[in-house]
Amino acid sequence: MTVATQNSKKLDPDWLTRIYMASIHAIALLALLPSNFNWSAVGVFFVLYCVTAGLGITLGFHRLIAHRSFEVPKIFEYFFVFCGTLACQGGVIQWVGLHRIHHKYSDTTPDPHDSNKGFWWSHLGWMLHKIEADGDVPRYTKDISSDPVFRFMQNFFIPIQVVLGFLLYWWGGWPFVIWGIFVRLVVVFHCTWFVNSATHKFGYRTFESTDTSRNCWWVALVTFGEGWHNNHHAHQYAARHGIKWWEIDTTWMAIWVLRTLGIARNVKLIPAEVIANRSVK
Ligand SMILES: [Zn+2]
Ligand SMILES: [Zn+2]
């Protein structure tokens, strides 16, 4: 069965993912205990949030691998994908495949997180069910699925997180584990999910596109620039998502630094004349 028939029948629950998500959210609540709080732990949370959400998911999984909007030497590619793997949002091959399917079928039935099915579905609900798109991932990931390092990180993303947890426990005890692993995972989960939910519902449109994508400043703020989602849907190849001076895109700043240092090459950008002649003012 292909993705075209997704949702034509009732979807089965994905109990493994439900238990996984519920457990991480429940354990994160232990941060409310005063004994689990100290400012060093909050500092660890913030650094790992920047590394995993910014360098990992946004720069690595999304702009570098899913869209190939720039190139870096393989060792840097593995570093950024490793940072994304630490976000525990599944493996890079699955993540990239589902994201490419989202762009191909945006806001139609085969889209894994079709926003027409509601905010909850596009934010989280789609992950709690067995969806047809899961079976189509191999067709969309032929360029990365045979890479042994990607496959290792795909298969072992949870053990890798457990090792990080032990390191944090050794360094700073339970407060470091609760804030550096569980609170950080929950925060990064929801920031990423807002790109699928909020930026297909709230904000303004700069470009005409066949989907419901919008530019939403507060999502851009918490996702290192991913909230300029209408700009992105209209020009998926571009490494820079914020195009107006106030559309702050910190991931573009990082890519600019990598390009200036000679590490990033073939950086793809929206041509200036396209921005000047945008179809929605
Ligand atoms: Zn994308
Ligand atoms: Zn989208």
Side-chain angles (χ1 to χ4, degrees):
M1 190 180 291
T2 68
V3 291
T5 56
Q6 181 191 319
N7 300 338
S8 59
K9 63 182 177 60
K10 198 170 184 333
L11 297 168
D12 292 328
D14 183 341
W15 286 109
L16 198 61
T17 303
R18 290 179 185 211
I19 293 166
Y20 173 74
M21 289 300 175
S23 304
I24 291 172
H25 281 72
I27 298 171
L29 291 174
L30 293 174
L32 296 172
L33 294 175
S35 60
N36 283 330
F37 179 85
N38 62 59
W39 285 108
S40 298
V42 175
V44 168
F45 155 83
F46 186 72
V47 169
L48 284 173
Y49 161 71
C50 293
V51 167
T52 62
L55 297 181
I57 295 295
T58 298
L59 191 149
F61 276 26
H62 189 215
R63 300 194 197 183
L64 176 61
I65 305 297
H67 293 288
R68 296 291 185 194
S69 59
F70 62 101
E71 296 170 13
V72 292
K74 204 70 181 171
I75 189 73
F76 284 91
E77 196 171 291
Y78 288 149
F79 169 72
F80 292 125
V81 169
F82 178 72
C83 293
T85 300
L86 292 178
C88 254
Q89 297 182 5
V92 62
I93 298 166
Q94 185 78 1
W95 195 105
V96 165
L98 290 172
H99 187 70
R100 287 173 176 170
I101 294 170
H102 166 62
H103 277 284
K104 183 168 172 81
Y105 296 104
S106 300
D107 298 320
T108 62
T109 301
D111 178 354
H113 33 85
D114 173 12
S115 66
N116 292 314
K117 292 182 74 178
F119 188 92
W120 166 257
W121 175 263
S122 57
H123 190 72
L124 168 61
W126 66 280
M127 276 176 281
L128 307 182
H129 296 83
K130 294 187 183 301
I131 56 173
E132 300 293 346
D134 285 331
D136 283 324
V137 163
R139 285 204 292 129
Y140 290 85
T141 52
K142 287 178 180 149
D143 57 322
I144 54 173
S145 58
S146 58
D147 186 301
V149 178
F150 286 174
R151 290 178 71 87
F152 175 82
M153 290 193 269
Q154 165 95 20
N155 293 332
F156 293 96
F157 74 92
I158 290 179
I160 289 169
Q161 193 74 198
V162 171
V163 170
L164 177 63
F166 278 114
L167 287 173
L168 290 175
Y169 181 79
W170 168 76
W171 187 22
W174 282 114
F176 275 30
V177 175
I178 298 299
W179 283 86
I181 300 285
F182 294 98
V183 177
R184 186 255 313 170
L185 286 180
V186 168
V187 169
V188 176
F189 280 161
H190 286 277
C191 289
T192 304
W193 300 344
F194 277 134
V195 180
N196 299 333
S197 56
T199 60
H200 278 262
K201 190 170 179 62
F202 307 120
Y204 59 90
R205 287 165 66 79
T206 300
F207 295 98
E208 199 59 72
S209 62
T210 55
D211 49 69
T212 63
S213 61
R214 291 172 178 276
N215 294 320
C216 181
W217 68 268
W218 60 268
V219 177
L221 200 64
V222 298
T223 56
F224 302 85
E226 298 290 70
W228 312 120
H229 202 55
N230 172 246
N231 297 345
H232 172 54
H233 264 273
H235 304 282
Q236 296 163 28
Y237 58 85
R240 180 179 184 175
H241 293 190
I243 56 172
K244 295 170 183 162
W245 69 266
W246 47 267
E247 289 177 345
I248 295 168
D249 180 356
T250 48
T251 298
W252 162 242
M253 295 176 193
I255 295 168
W256 182 89
V257 169
L258 291 172
R259 185 177 67 175
T260 304
L261 294 173
I263 296 167
R265 305 178 305 268
N266 298 327
V267 179
K268 298 173 192 156
L269 296 170
I270 307 172
E273 62 270 25
V274 172
I275 294 173
N277 297 321
R278 61 185 182 272
S279 52
V280 177
K281 295 289 192 283

